[in-house]
Amino acid sequence: MTTKNALPYSKGKSVFCFRLEEFFMRFTTHIGFTKRIHKEHKPLSRNLQYILLSLAPGYFLLWGLLLQPFPEMVRGLMRIFVEPDFLITDYVAVGGAGAALVNASLITLMCIALMYFLNMNIEGSSIAALSLMLGFSLFGKNLVNIWSIILGVFIYAKYHKTHLSNYLYIGFYGTSLSPIITQTIQFGHFSLPVRLAMSLLVGIIIGFVMPPLCAHFYNTHKGYSLYNGGFTAGIIATVIISIYKSFGLALESRKLWAAGYNIPFSEILISFFVILIFIGALTDKNAFRKYWNILKYPGLSGTDFTFSEGFSPTLINMGIDGIFCTLYLLAIGAELNGASIGGIFTVVGFSATGKTLRNITPIMLGITLLAALSGNYTVTDPAVVLALMFGTTIAPIAGQYGFLIGILAGFLHAAVVLNIGIVYSGMNLYNNGFAGGIVAAFLVPIIKSIQNRQAKVKGVL
């Protein structure tokens, strides 16, 4: 395991956290949030929603510029662009905390700008897709390796004579295979122009096949795994890497996992999640009541809390889940770094479209249970930490079938995800999405079969 010590951290930065919170309070007052406190909730305007979306990458961009001297940050970005990206490659260990946050923030802001240019409305799936881009750009996606895949989705939309906005999120999900793009550039002994052309072609192919395959493979798990794009990407990665290995590509396992950042990252994250809760409560006086409604949803794929309950209670759900996940990792002694923060943000993003404190907790407990009982892992092992966060893809199982079934599902998920990555040599960043799809496809039909039999015995069916 490769680790990298944290940058010097002073109490001054902690104070700055509170100054940032004060800034956001003044900012929300300036744009008129406080005028709504004593009024009935009204839907936020499209422009205001885009402003709120941009606050997250803007917040972390500011921190990225503060945590590392600018020249060192730029050099770190250059290392991120050329470093192999397959699991686990923590960009904090590769380029430093500042470079990792700047890379993630710039990618997310570009994606938001693309959505705005395409005149797309903000909904739960928008928040989920952007959070994935932000989170995974801390350990696998970078400003160089994502665009050919998005180009492939654009070509698919043109081929079918439809608007790119119909498939853009699938393009974002497809960038889970961006490590293949980086690896293709470094593949074999071809000249650089040939390798660049090969990587462009591979990215376009990935983007072009993602939309039809995503639609097809959804039926495999019936929405009980929220990361359908990850399940689809796992299938594609298996095929591509099998071809690469047939031509002699040798991939070594890696584990770049930064350590020593818990104090600054915990303060940065918790401050941000408090801001989310604050904005949610400030923009709708009934936000907390609606938040309790959110907790009642099972959370199957296709759920959209921004549509059913509103943008403000969704922000509260996101903030509460983010604080819970951050504190959970700190409580078990795990490291907060690029990869684990990517996991936290995946939970936060999908808290707009399925995840709640009620349905993620049993999954995380089940994963913790396997790590405690197996003897082969500890709960702080990098692969287990990632499973704790990303394994909540199967939260709908817990939401639909209850707490104990959720623990069982988490237990099974941990067993699968800790062993499945070898199939595609870590080239699918959404490894838990692939494993979650398998677990859901395996477990849910069994549960339904037992329930149907019990219903027949009772004379209900």
Side-chain angles (χ1 to χ4, degrees):
M1 180 186 300
T2 302
T3 60
K4 187 174 182 179
N5 292 328
L7 298 171
Y9 183 73
S10 66
K11 292 183 180 179
K13 291 230 170 56
S14 178
V15 171
F16 188 74
C17 269
F18 296 104
R19 290 180 179 175
L20 272 178
E21 291 182 41
E22 182 182 357
F23 164 77
F24 278 105
M25 290 176 68
R26 291 178 178 177
F27 175 77
T28 54
T29 301
H30 175 70
I31 62 177
F33 280 176
T34 53
K35 296 178 182 179
R36 298 187 179 94
I37 295 178
H38 301 295
K39 296 181 180 180
E40 292 297 321
H41 168 65
K42 295 181 180 179
L44 301 180
S45 69
R46 177 175 174 272
N47 285 344
L48 193 53
Q49 290 178 8
Y50 269 96
I51 290 173
L52 289 175
L53 278 183
S54 300
L55 287 181
Y59 177 86
F60 290 104
L61 177 62
L62 179 59
W63 271 110
L65 295 173
L66 288 171
L67 286 175
Q68 208 170 356
F70 188 78
E72 182 181 332
M73 184 271 295
V74 172
R75 289 192 295 270
L77 276 176
M78 295 302 106
R79 289 194 294 271
I80 286 172
F81 295 160
V82 301
E83 185 78 17
D85 304 302
F86 53 91
L87 294 173
I88 302 172
T89 303
D90 182 354
Y91 283 165
V92 174
V94 173
L101 289 175
V102 168
N103 177 70
S105 301
L106 291 178
I107 286 177
T108 309
L109 287 170
M110 289 178 182
C111 291
I112 292 173
L114 183 57
M115 289 169 53
Y116 189 85
F117 176 77
L118 293 173
N119 201 31
M120 298 173 66
N121 292 322
I122 302 302
E123 51 192 12
S125 57
S126 314
I127 298 172
L130 290 170
S131 294
L132 281 180
M133 296 304 291
L134 178 64
F136 279 92
S137 296
L138 295 170
F139 73 114
K141 302 180 184 183
N142 61 55
L143 287 162
V144 173
N145 65 12
I146 64 172
W147 301 111
S148 61
I149 296 174
I150 295 176
L151 175 60
V153 174
F154 173 77
I155 293 173
Y156 179 87
K158 285 294 183 181
Y159 178 77
H160 287 275
K161 301 185 186 305
T162 187
H163 201 264
L164 175 60
S165 60
N166 295 325
Y167 300 108
L168 183 62
Y169 298 149
I170 294 177
F172 290 167
Y173 298 145
T175 57
S176 65
L177 298 178
S178 55
I180 295 179
I181 308 305
T182 304
Q183 197 64 39
T184 303
I185 296 176
Q186 302 171 357
F187 182 50
H189 303 287
F190 301 105
S191 65
L192 179 60
V194 171
R195 285 181 276 135
L196 289 173
M198 288 172 57
S199 68
L200 177 63
L201 178 61
V202 170
I204 289 173
I205 292 172
I206 290 171
F208 192 87
V209 303
M210 274 293 293
L213 292 180
C214 276
H216 177 75
F217 288 128
Y218 179 86
N219 292 323
T220 304
H221 52 78
K222 304 294 185 183
Y224 283 93
S225 176
L226 293 173
Y227 309 160
N228 185 51
F231 182 69
T232 304
I235 302 294
I236 297 173
T238 301
V239 173
I240 293 176
I241 297 305
S242 296
I243 295 173
Y244 278 21
K245 287 182 177 179
S246 298
F247 285 89
L249 177 66
L251 296 173
E252 298 179 1
S253 61
R254 60 170 17 201
K255 194 179 293 181
L256 294 180
W257 188 257
Y261 291 85
N262 281 15
I263 292 177
F265 279 155
S266 62
E267 293 193 1
I268 292 170
L269 289 172
I270 291 176
S271 295
F272 175 71
F273 298 138
V274 168
I275 290 169
L276 289 184
I277 296 171
F278 170 77
I279 293 175
L282 199 60
T283 52
D284 183 357
K285 69 176 184 180
N286 297 316
F288 278 101
R289 177 181 60 80
K290 294 175 182 177
Y291 167 72
W292 289 111
N293 292 336
I294 286 176
L295 293 177
K296 299 174 184 177
Y297 286 79
L300 273 84
S301 180
T303 301
D304 187 344
F305 295 141
T306 66
F307 176 78
S308 59
E309 299 298 332
F311 202 83
S312 299
T314 301
L315 289 177
I316 291 176
N317 189 48
M318 293 166 62
I320 289 175
D321 286 355
I323 291 173
F324 174 76
C325 289
T326 303
L327 294 179
Y328 194 98
L329 292 185
L330 292 174
I332 64 174
E335 295 290 341
L336 293 180
N337 52 34
S340 60
I341 292 173
I344 291 171
F345 264 94
T346 300
V347 175
V348 170
F350 278 87
S351 295
T353 178
K355 295 185 183 182
T356 67
L357 199 60
R358 183 175 72 91
N359 64 15
I360 66 173
T361 302
I363 302 298
M364 294 169 64
L365 290 176
I367 294 169
T368 305
L369 182 63
L370 181 128
L373 297 179
S374 70
N376 295 320
Y377 304 96
T378 67
V379 73
T380 57
D381 283 344
V384 175
V385 171
L386 295 186
L388 278 169
M389 298 293 100
F390 296 112
T392 53
T393 178
I394 53 173
I397 297 178
Q400 184 71 30
Y401 298 110
F403 195 86
L404 294 179
I405 294 296
I407 291 177
L408 173 63
F411 187 93
L412 292 176
H413 177 85
V416 173
V417 77
L418 293 173
N419 295 283
I420 199 69
I422 193 173
V423 174
Y424 37 72
S425 301
M427 287 293 178
N428 175 24
L429 294 174
Y430 301 169
N431 187 43
N432 280 267
F434 185 52
I438 293 173
V439 171
F442 170 79
L443 187 59
V444 172
I446 296 174
I447 297 172
K448 287 184 175 180
S449 176
I450 294 172
Q451 288 185 336
N452 288 340
R453 175 57 183 164
Q454 291 175 339
K456 287 180 181 179
V457 170
K458 294 177 182 179
V460 177
L461 293 180

